Amino acid sequence: MHELLINPENYRIGPNYKASNIVFPVMYKGEKFIIKRPRITGDLTYLYYYLRDDNGNRILSSSKEGMNEEARKLKILNGKFAPKLIEYDPNTAIECREYIDGEDFRRLKSYTDKKVAIEFAALGIREIHSRDVILGDATVKNVILTKTKDKALWMDFDGVFDEENIHEAKAKDILKFINTTYQLTRDEKLRQYARDIILELYKDRKVIDLVKLFI
């Protein structure tokens, strides 16, 4: 795995995915993985997202700090509703994680698939929060439904957010999940489904009471 992190381009098998950092698939010793590393202009990208954060809780940070934060969270989650972290080099901020074969929410065509993805995403928020991990950028576009359609995972954890008030941070995650479901689909029924399923599944009443103040 060491040689993969030293020069991941030698093992690339596809183009970059659309992301704020550089993300692409590799093949190493007969197995697919995903490599993620900061862009040269990554700090400008982070500044852009800091300035436009609609929740007001993003912290101005470098792309390397963001990658360190993602590695920390993925280690905690250990593959639970998120990709499993295989290896991370904090010196270069290059990350190797498991390859997920599926489609992100924006590419889903079937209404049923969208509902399945929303339900798994809500389950994911509940389980991720139970480990006191905050998504921060809990937009549903960061959800991938596997091709087998038996699970969906949250993919993006490299934002650095204000997590001092843990209940408020969790409530902001839930509100962003509900609101972006409508923003991406323009379908009020799907937004309502996201709202109902998260309220049904979520266990922390303090967080839900905060959410209900805004929905």
Side-chain angles (χ1 to χ4, degrees):
M1 193 60 67
H2 180 64
E3 62 261 36
L4 173 59
L5 291 185
I6 288 176
N7 197 345
E9 290 291 342
N10 286 346
Y11 303 92
R12 179 194 282 269
I13 57 170
N16 293 345
Y17 297 118
K18 186 177 181 181
S20 55
N21 286 300
I22 297 173
V23 184
F24 58 90
V26 295
M27 180 74 75
Y28 180 71
K29 294 186 176 180
E31 189 172 354
K32 286 183 180 179
F33 298 98
I34 293 294
I35 290 292
K36 185 172 182 178
R37 61 181 177 84
R39 292 182 185 274
I40 295 174
T41 57
D43 290 349
L44 293 176
T45 303
Y46 274 58
L47 175 61
Y48 168 75
Y49 283 115
Y50 166 75
L51 293 172
R52 71 187 293 272
D53 180 54
D54 55 357
N55 282 334
N57 66 331
R58 187 182 289 265
I59 295 171
L60 183 59
S61 62
S62 69
S63 54
K64 186 173 181 180
E65 287 172 326
M67 291 298 297
N68 286 339
E69 182 68 1
E70 177 163 88
R72 181 186 72 82
K73 291 180 179 182
L74 292 181
K75 284 178 183 177
I76 293 171
L77 297 174
N78 194 30
K80 194 72 173 178
F81 287 97
K84 190 169 185 177
L85 183 68
I86 307 300
E87 196 78 35
Y88 180 67
D89 184 343
N91 296 314
T92 59
I94 295 178
E95 167 189 299
C96 176
R97 66 190 189 200
E98 71 171 314
Y99 178 86
I100 306 298
D101 191 7
E103 297 284 356
D104 72 56
F105 188 83
R106 291 170 295 186
R107 295 177 178 271
L108 298 176
K109 300 292 190 293
S110 160
Y111 194 83
T112 299
D113 285 353
K114 290 176 183 178
K115 290 185 71 175
V116 169
I118 287 168
E119 185 170 349
F120 277 123
L123 277 168
I125 289 175
R126 186 187 72 181
E127 296 305 313
I128 290 167
H129 283 182
S130 73
R131 291 158 175 77
D132 283 340
V133 171
I134 305 302
L135 285 137
D137 190 14
T139 169
V140 75
K141 72 179 181 181
N142 290 331
V143 173
I144 285 187
L145 180 66
T146 61
K147 281 198 173 178
T148 53
K149 301 179 183 179
D150 59 348
K151 64 179 178 179
L153 297 89
W154 286 92
M155 303 302 293
D156 191 356
F157 295 84
D158 63 8
V160 182
F161 296 88
D162 181 4
E163 301 176 14
E164 184 174 340
N165 184 327
I166 194 72
H167 290 101
E168 183 178 310
K170 290 177 179 179
K172 287 179 177 179
D173 268 359
I174 292 171
L175 288 167
K176 191 159 192 178
F177 164 62
I178 294 170
N179 292 335
T180 57
T181 298
Y182 176 75
Q183 290 166 9
L184 288 176
T185 65
R186 296 299 173 185
D187 189 319
E188 178 58 29
K189 288 183 180 179
L190 283 177
R191 188 199 74 84
Q192 189 67 38
Y193 184 71
R195 174 190 179 278
D196 291 347
I197 201 73
I198 195 75
L199 294 181
E200 177 186 340
L201 293 172
Y202 206 85
K203 295 178 179 179
D204 191 327
R205 291 299 101 189
K206 288 183 180 179
V207 175
I208 291 302
D209 286 346
L210 284 172
V211 170
K212 287 181 176 178
L213 293 174
F214 298 95
I215 58 175

